[in-house]
Amino acid sequence: RQRAPGRLGQRLSHSMPAAAAEEVALVALVAFHGFSVTDEVARLIRQPQVAGVTLFRGLNIESAAQTRRLTDELQRAGGGRLLIAIDQEGGQLLGAGAETTAFAGNLALGAVGDADLTRRVGNAIGLELRALGINLNYAPVADVASRPYNPSLGIRSFGEEPGEVARMTAAMVSGLQQAGVAATLKHFPGKGEATVDPHYELPVLDLDLERLERVEFAPFRAGIEAGARLVMVGHYGLPAVTGDRALPASASPGVLQGLIRGSLGFGGVIVTDALDMGAFGGLAPETPLRAGADLLLLGPAQAGASVTGMADQSGRVDDLLKWLDQFPQPKLTVVGCSAHRLLADELAARSITHVRDLNGLLPLDSGGRVLVVMPRPIDLTPADSSSYVEPGLAAAIRDQHPAVTEIVVAAHPTPGEIESVVEQADRHDVLIFGTIDANREQADLMQSCLVTGKPTVGLALRTPYDLALFPELPTYVCTYGIHPPSLQAVAAALFGKATFPGHLPVSIPGLYPVGHSGLAG
């Protein structure tokens, strides 16, 4: 595992002769399917151009103890200087497994607006990752939520106001890196205005430089000033810079060298988003290296890809590895520890947002029968781990009220499910209806229940925008999360055992502005 200095040719291939090792820079973050290091995996990571690995929950994570064993095995096989990366954003993307603390996502942090809380959450996430043997986090998301129905952003953003997103981004960077985990600002140049999901096709951002500087770049500048070690460049068309609507930013010298290195003055490691995403298209994998990237994020099927481009890393990857070497590894007992669970509870309790209660329904009383409806969580995009979460809204409500009936419907409720819920609504006194990125079918279910005239509380369990689909709903609360801490916090608030301290970190189109709280008048 040696890297010669300067501009050197690369070739990423299982068949690379060992003699070529001195002519190869560290350019690849590879992935594999497995829960331990087999001989095949060991051969993969010993290739001289491999800088590290990316772990994925579905491919590599079974438990905390297994993950620690896996990362120990990887480091032994890789000579002890391996980048081991994961997506542990909080909220809808918890790649490191079920035993890690289920912190609500960035949008919940934006709803609180406390940079110190964000730093503390980042530090807890970092300590847990470091204990698992993971030293690089693909976080924080520095994208501004400027387009309400962005198909791949959701609660991953801190909010809609660039200044607030910048403040929270810097705090998260600080927290993660205090724990010895390298933070990655993503997804440059900012995906807030994307209208399609880059996992499948190339979003084109028709934004001029003035707008980019004012909105999209602000959080990246703040994160760089806070010392972020990496910037991830995404696959987005940026014609104002490249002059080419079909060229991904990840393959553009104007973006990587002109903007990231030049305008933003970033001297750390530039990593691409995954090259197996549809938005990258059929470009050769070395194209980002020629444009100025340091590391290529390769998917599991790309481990034997051929890379023949050039990389001028100027020692940046080596510097990152040296920086990581100075931090100790915490004990595994820090993962999911009581202090971190209390911190997750604090975040959840402080983020719950009272949007409206036009009929004075809240707080709910302790009598009567309550029907609780929740869609079964699914992964709405590949950047999602929601499908691992069991529906828990009814269980949280039962902690506050004894007479609860639970109905779990599909993410896209069928006509039969809608009919069944309406029948049950007639037998209950109050309906509590959770939505998750509400679609037309969830809206039909909500509207069908409202027709019954039963008092109904709508809970946005993910993004707040759902209310725009059923604006006649009089009582609406946002939780920004489907994990137990958020559900328990909202249940306590609904029954008057807690307050609603949060405020909207995004606007609800045509209804409420950023910063709104129904309790503030």
Side-chain angles (χ1 to χ4, degrees), residues 86-105:
I86 205 160
D87 284 290
Q88 186 78 349
E89 298 174 4
Q92 72 188 66
L93 189 48
L94 295 172
E99 292 176 56
T100 59
T101 304
F103 289 105

Side-chain angles (χ1 to χ4, degrees), residues 1-2 11-16 21 24-26 28 30 40-51 303-305:
R1 290 183 51 76
Q2 298 177 344
R11 181 169 181 80
L12 182 60
S13 169
H14 288 299
S15 62
M16 176 185 289
V24 178
L26 301 173
V30 297
E40 182 180 5
V41 171
R43 285 193 296 271
L44 171 66
I45 65 173
R46 284 172 181 155
Q47 293 180 98
Q49 71 287 341
V50 171

Side-chain angles (χ1 to χ4, degrees), residues 185 312 374:
L185 303 172
D312 182 6
M374 177 181 176

Side-chain angles (χ1 to χ4, degrees), residues 172-185:
M172 182 62 73
V173 167
S174 176
L176 284 168
Q177 295 193 164
Q178 286 171 0
V181 170
T184 307
L185 303 172

